[in-house]
Amino acid sequence: MAAPPSHPFVYIDAEALHAVLPFPSLISHLRAGLPAFSGDIHCPHRVSFPLPTSPSAALLLMPSWCAHPSLPYLALKAVTSFPANSPRLPSVHAAVSLFSSASGAPLASLEGSALTLLRTAAVSALAASLLASPSRPPSTLALAGAGALAPYLADAHLSALPSLSRILVWNRTRAKSAALVAKLRSAHPGVAVEEVDGMDEAVSAADIVSCATGSQEPIVRGELLRPGAHLDLVGSFTPAMRECDDEALRRGRVFIDFEAAMEEAGELVGAVQRGVLRREDLAGTLAELAAGTVVGRRSDDEITVFKSVGTAVVDLLAAQLAYENYIATKNA
């Protein structure tokens, strides 16, 4: 039941978001909410404004709203990009404003960067859990990239797939991969966490490969994917970016988070242009997978590919859960 808009306006910071959005709860919420509300949530294309205050600076606005009685919210995500910031100051900042879609009353402001990291990782883990083989549970996760999202991807996958017992980490900058290995070992002492020298080594050994990089050249060679592997592609969000080669898409059944992936993800845009992939080859969306209206994995040896670009749909669902859990905690 949605919290009534009579509560006082609240600010939910990053620490509070981690407390009210544990991965088991968030993944379960998305699994139920995506098929239930995706058709009712309106998400206009994001709008970008160049800012003259700093070189290449920009303001991005992403609205979404729903009038369904179980999701009576309007959200506006604002993202600032200041590439010229010093190394000590992040170049990207975000905030999400939540309103009642029934009255327009402001309800909350949520720290946007943490919300984005949490919901992005939860989407990947949900897809992996829906596409993993139930008769051959995955044991090894490979992570490509050691940025801010990487530990969230590890945590989310471990939450959704408790059979995972080993994590392989690869990053072009060895110091960052070493730091991520140390962080994951501390957070998950029961999991074997290893740094690998090359991505080929990780792909060849992994049951699940999760990529969160800004690469413009393929880092995953499809010929190396093991039978039954699941490939999770998170990093690319423009046609110029690409984390896997065409062979990975040829060998795998491809699922996407939302239709926007066909226009924004370099792997898919390029594959269509080269005749490797047709729109009708797509196996389905995450909402369809969660609803059971499309077939997921068809055999233990089938390779599955999930490409996400993210939309305001999951921002709205994650903000809903965060706000309602936060209010429930305060009222307890």
Side-chain angles (χ1 to χ4, degrees), residues 101-306:
S101 61
S103 68
L107 303 174
S109 178
L110 302 87
E111 203 285 319
S113 297
L115 187 76
T116 302
L117 292 168
L118 287 162
R119 62 85 157 155
T120 303
V123 163
S124 286
L126 173 58
S129 69
L130 293 171
L131 291 170
S133 171
S135 58
R136 198 165 69 193
S139 62
T140 301
L141 168 68
L143 291 177
L149 183 58
Y152 289 83
L153 286 168
D155 292 350
H157 280 88
L158 289 170
S159 172
L161 297 164
S163 61
L164 290 171
S165 59
R166 183 185 183 207
I167 299 177
L168 306 176
V169 176
W170 175 82
N171 190 69
R172 285 194 175 96
T173 305
R174 294 298 295 268
K176 290 185 177 180
S177 57
L180 177 60
V181 166
K183 182 174 185 176
L184 294 178
R185 284 175 177 169
S186 175
H188 305 284
V191 177
V193 185
E194 308 165 31
E195 183 180 8
V196 295
D197 293 327
M199 195 58 196
D200 284 358
E201 177 186 350
V203 172
S204 300
D207 303 302
I208 298 177
V209 180
S210 184
C211 303
T213 73
S215 182
Q216 296 189 357
E217 298 294 334
I219 57 174
V220 173
R221 292 200 291 152
E223 64 179 317
L224 299 179
L225 288 166
R226 299 173 61 179
H230 172 69
L231 176 59
D232 173 49
L233 302 169
V234 184
S236 73
F237 54 89
T238 73
M241 303 169 75
R242 189 180 176 202
E243 293 185 306
C244 76
D245 62 11
D246 288 341
E247 185 62 18
L249 303 180
R250 286 193 191 96
R251 294 187 67 199
R253 282 180 70 227
V254 180
F255 297 82
I256 57 177
D257 60 345
F258 297 98
E259 293 294 331
M262 293 303 298
E263 301 174 4
E264 298 178 4
E267 299 91 350
L268 304 184
V269 172
V272 170
Q273 291 173 344
R274 291 184 290 273
V276 174
L277 186 72
R278 301 171 302 170
R279 176 63 185 82
E280 54 266 34
D281 292 330
L282 290 179
T285 66
L286 184 57
E288 292 169 333
L289 261 180
T293 56
V294 298
V295 177
R297 175 174 292 277
R298 299 176 299 190
S299 72
D300 286 342
D301 287 340
E302 184 173 60
I303 292 171
T304 55
V305 179
F306 177 68

Side-chain angles (χ1 to χ4, degrees), residues 3-93:
S6 56
H7 289 282
F9 183 85
V10 297
Y11 174 65
I12 309 177
D13 63 16
E15 182 179 0
L17 282 171
H18 285 87
V20 298
L21 291 179
F23 278 121
S25 176
L26 179 55
I27 293 169
S28 176
H29 182 66
L30 294 179
R31 181 170 187 169
L34 283 171
F37 300 118
S38 286
D40 295 313
I41 297 176
H42 300 271
C43 296
H45 286 295
R46 62 176 171 242
V47 182
S48 178
F49 301 95
L51 300 175
T53 55
S54 179
S56 302
L59 168 67
L60 291 83
L61 300 178
M62 289 159 273
S64 59
W65 63 87
C66 183
H68 194 284
S70 296
L71 189 62
Y73 297 108
L74 181 160
L76 177 63
K77 184 176 183 179
V79 179
T80 58
S81 176
F82 280 65
N85 281 357
S86 71
R88 294 186 299 276
L89 182 64
S91 59
V92 177
H93 298 268

